[in-house]
Amino acid sequence: MTHYIYLVRHGEHQDAEYGLVDGPLSPRGRRQAAALADRLSGLAFDAVWHSPLERASQTARAVAERMPSVSPQPSALLFDCVPTGMTDDTPPAFEPFFGSITEAEIDAGRAQMADAVSEYLVRKNGEVHELLITHNFVIAWFVREVLQAPDWRWMTLNQAHCGLTVIAQKQGRPWTLLSHNDLTHLPKELQTGLPDPQPV
């Protein structure tokens, strides 16, 4: 018996166009969410959790429209957050990212992700399928945790809008990363949200 957690970043939202911190899904984001819902529609989820922010809530509703048996629930543990600040091991190239982020925000993010790991990365009995619709940094932290990578490595793990990451744990074994940022359900024009490749 295996416990599966499906981690999904919300669909594209309108912040880039309108400068909003949060907002509704863009037309492309709604198409991404619909494609995700089609991809997941054959699975019987035991629970669906989502960030309370509008972009994640709307993505969860799109999934629920295609799976009437699920009832998505908001969780404050899945809010967008910054899980760490600069550490002794963090490459200096990442320092500018933290320029506008306060120590209080970092402390809150660190505490939130510690609680999220304690809440979700806990083995449940039987065959379990859970869906978490959340944010790029939150998923990156879960993946870093599963891989037991250094804290700063979450900054190098990026997810596209409605990309699908799957982690799993068999009884008595550690958590395993089964797939990361799977985009096969999204046509090329719907693959957004990843940083531009750096020039070589």
Side-chain angles (χ1 to χ4, degrees), residues 46-61:
D46 297 283
V48 178
W49 302 95
H50 63 87
S51 161
L53 292 176
E54 186 173 3
R55 54 193 187 268
S57 299
Q58 283 197 357
T59 305
R61 284 198 295 273

Side-chain angles (χ1 to χ4, degrees), residues 34-154:
L36 170 72
D38 287 341
R39 169 75 181 274
L40 297 176
S41 61
L43 293 169
F45 285 108
D46 297 283
V48 178
W49 302 95
H50 63 87
S51 161
L53 292 176
E54 186 173 3
R55 54 193 187 268
S57 299
Q58 283 197 357
T59 305
R61 284 198 295 273
V63 171
E65 285 172 4
R66 283 169 169 72
M67 288 184 269
S69 62
V70 304
S71 179
Q73 299 296 318
S75 170
L77 297 178
L78 300 177
F79 263 122
D80 203 3
C81 70
V82 175
T84 67
M86 286 289 290
T87 70
D88 292 341
D89 299 326
T90 309
F94 291 109
E95 194 162 358
F97 169 82
F98 294 102
S100 62
I101 299 169
T102 66
E103 283 298 322
E105 288 172 321
I106 292 168
D107 289 345
R110 183 182 292 114
Q112 174 188 316
M113 290 316 302
D115 289 345
V117 166
S118 296
E119 176 72 20
Y120 294 110
L121 294 189
V122 176
R123 177 74 174 101
K124 295 183 172 66
N125 293 326
E127 189 86 0
V128 178
H129 296 265
E130 295 182 300
L131 174 60
L132 276 56
I133 298 173
T134 179
H135 304 276
N136 189 34
F137 296 165
V138 174
I139 297 169
W141 188 260
F142 276 120
V143 173
R144 183 221 59 80
E145 182 74 20
V146 167
L147 297 177
Q148 290 295 288
D151 283 0
W152 66 270
R153 293 296 301 194
W154 68 270

Side-chain angles (χ1 to χ4, degrees), residues 137-188:
F137 296 165
V138 174
I139 297 169
W141 188 260
F142 276 120
V143 173
R144 183 221 59 80
E145 182 74 20
V146 167
L147 297 177
Q148 290 295 288
D151 283 0
W152 66 270
R153 293 296 301 194
W154 68 270
M155 299 191 71
T156 67
L157 298 164
N158 290 290
Q159 287 68 225
H161 294 122
C162 286
L164 177 62
T165 293
V166 184
I167 59 177
Q169 186 184 42
K170 289 183 180 294
Q171 192 74 45
R173 298 186 184 181
W175 284 93
T176 302
L177 179 65
L178 298 185
S179 66
H180 178 250
N181 198 40
D182 181 353
L183 304 179
T184 53
H185 52 290
L186 298 174
K188 190 69 176 175

